[in-house]
Amino acid sequence: MPCNYKAVILVFCLSGLLLGAGCINTGSSPAPVSAPIQTPSPEDLMQHIRAEYPAPGMLYDVNGTRMHIRCQGEGSPAVIMEAGSGDCSLSWALVQQNVSKFTRVCTYDRQGYGWSDPGPGPVTARNVTGSLHTLLSMANITPPYVLVGHSLGGVYMRYYAHRYPDEVRGMVLVDPGSEWQMARTGENFTREMKAAVAVRASLLRQMGWESAKGTFARNLSLVEKYSDPRLPSWEYHAFRALWATEPWFWYSCATEGERAFQVWDEVSRENITTLINIPLVVISSGQEMGFSADPAGNTYANEVFRTLQKEMATESPQGMYLIAHNSSHYIQLDEPELVTGSIRTVVDDVRSGR
């Protein structure tokens, strides 16, 4: 799904209309002539923040690009987790901690996200899944896998299973997006979504520009709201540090949002209606998504969204559909125990051969 709406609030805070209202403290009391204050450069500030929050996992060279993967726990099958658009590996922190108690679990950052460098090629499902396939091999994380995907990450994981069926033994999709959302909701909805994504992408690139200038490194409170307080303390502050010091994070979020329409077209051409016969759990959020400004149109878009998720659960004979009634789109943060329990069920089924 497109990136978080909180970026818009931050951009407004950066605009000239609000600078004078105290959103950014750019001034200070004049220093005495005899004792000038030496302020660190923006790059020095960013380097200091990066040093405080280094990559928690390992970095591997994937086709000339460093990619970050973080694994915890022991056991097989390995659980591989894919974040949604605008998120990185940190968004899985609560669930990863829980799953690590009963099997090996790995989260990673797509190219341009988190601690992974930007990639050379365009954002496509083939490039994303191909890079992940290479990364898992280089990190010596051997199949079988249980794949877990959130939002757009769910589209990528279904494509991965379609492309590498011999490696996948189970799947959990957390409020997954669908490659058929635009086609099923119609041209008017598609135009509205594309217009909204274009505006948001422009704002996100402005945020990346401010990050590159050191604006956020000088005042971390500006990205305070962009890090989720439901995360554990280290991950919360690391997320904030990434937004403040990595301009490519913002740019990648904008680019992937724009490219999502091409990704959906690409995956829809594969016509994935049947996956291999594996344990599969699809979890829908109980709260409506903000797809459209029109209430009636939004209700209809949400109905289509849920219908598509129910259909995903039928892609395997062992599919199961659940609703997280108390959750927003981020079920892994609102109800991490539900996601953890679903993963454990699938892992147990794989181990028992059911």
Side-chain angles (χ1 to χ4, degrees):
M1 300 305 300
C3 298
N4 199 305
Y5 286 96
K6 293 177 182 176
V8 178
I9 298 173
L10 292 175
V11 170
F12 289 154
C13 193
L14 292 170
S15 70
L17 291 175
L18 294 181
L19 282 173
C23 282
I24 302 176
N25 182 12
T26 58
S28 59
S29 299
V33 174
S34 59
I37 297 175
Q38 298 297 321
T39 58
S41 69
E43 184 56 36
D44 287 342
L45 282 172
M46 288 190 281
Q47 290 291 357
H48 174 75
I49 294 170
R50 291 186 188 114
E52 282 191 286
Y53 297 96
M58 300 294 294
L59 295 169
Y60 294 90
D61 188 299
V62 177
N63 301 322
T65 300
R66 292 186 312 163
M67 291 189 67
H68 170 248
I69 187 167
R70 180 189 191 185
C71 295
Q72 296 175 286
E74 300 292 337
S76 180
V79 174
I80 311 299
M81 313 185 93
E82 182 82 72
S85 183
D87 282 314
C88 68
S89 54
L90 296 175
S91 65
W92 289 112
L94 295 176
V95 176
Q96 184 171 21
Q97 289 177 3
N98 293 338
V99 174
S100 68
K101 297 173 184 177
F102 56 84
T103 197
R104 192 180 193 190
V105 53
C106 302
T107 57
Y108 86 106
D109 296 319
R110 291 191 295 279
Q111 292 174 335
Y113 280 85
W115 288 273
S116 292
D117 293 337
V123 177
T124 66
R126 177 161 288 272
N127 285 348
V128 168
T129 54
S131 296
L132 174 58
H133 187 261
T134 302
L135 176 63
L136 294 175
S137 175
M138 296 193 69
N140 198 29
I141 303 164
T142 57
Y145 304 136
V146 169
L147 304 181
V148 181
H150 171 240
S151 195
L152 182 61
V155 177
Y156 291 140
M157 285 311 203
R158 287 173 55 248
Y159 189 85
Y160 190 102
H162 177 72
R163 189 176 177 188
Y164 307 106
D166 293 341
E167 299 181 1
V168 182
R169 292 292 177 271
M171 189 179 302
V172 177
L173 303 175
V174 181
D175 219 24
S178 169
E179 65 271 25
W180 299 107
Q181 181 76 18
M182 298 300 113
R184 294 275 283 269
T185 45
E187 293 181 3
N188 290 337
F189 176 79
T190 300
R191 280 195 296 269
E192 182 181 4
M193 287 291 290
K194 286 184 176 180
V197 167
V199 171
R200 198 170 308 140
S202 176
L203 296 175
L204 286 165
R205 289 192 173 93
Q206 291 181 45
M207 298 294 280
W209 182 65
E210 293 293 342
S211 176
K213 291 197 304 179
T215 300
F216 304 142
R218 289 193 297 268
N219 188 350
L220 286 171
S221 67
L222 290 171
V223 288
E224 196 80 35
K225 292 182 179 180
Y226 209 67
S227 185
D228 200 300
R230 292 169 292 186
L231 290 170
S233 178
W234 189 91
E235 284 78 4
Y236 170 83
H237 289 94
F239 221 145
R240 187 181 66 167
L242 288 170
W243 289 124
T245 63
E246 301 297 340
W248 277 110
F249 202 164
W250 298 100
Y251 301 150
S252 297
C253 181
T255 299
E256 188 173 54
E258 292 170 325
R259 289 286 304 176
F261 299 93
Q262 285 76 24
V263 168
W264 293 326
D265 287 343
E266 174 191 4
V267 177
S268 67
R269 288 194 294 272
E270 298 294 324
N271 197 28
I272 304 173
T273 57
T274 303
L275 295 173
I276 47 183
N277 188 359
I278 57 173
L280 165 66
V281 179
V282 179
I283 311 174
S284 290
S285 59
Q287 300 174 15
E288 278 199 349
M289 296 277 288
F291 288 118
S292 174
D294 172 56
N298 193 61
T299 298
Y300 176 67
N302 273 275
E303 290 173 354
V304 172
F305 190 58
R306 304 304 174 213
T307 299
L308 289 167
Q309 290 173 333
K310 291 177 185 177
E311 292 175 2
M312 285 181 210
T314 69
E315 291 177 352
S316 168
Q318 301 182 57
M320 178 187 301
Y321 177 72
L322 303 175
I323 301 176
H325 292 283
N326 299 317
S327 286
S328 66
H329 185 49
Y330 284 83
I331 304 172
Q332 68 269 39
L333 297 177
D334 288 327
E335 297 183 64
E337 296 81 8
L338 175 62
V339 178
T340 301
S342 298
I343 295 171
R344 180 152 207 164
T345 296
V346 171
V347 167
D348 289 345
D349 284 350
V350 173
R351 287 174 173 170
S352 67
R354 289 195 297 269

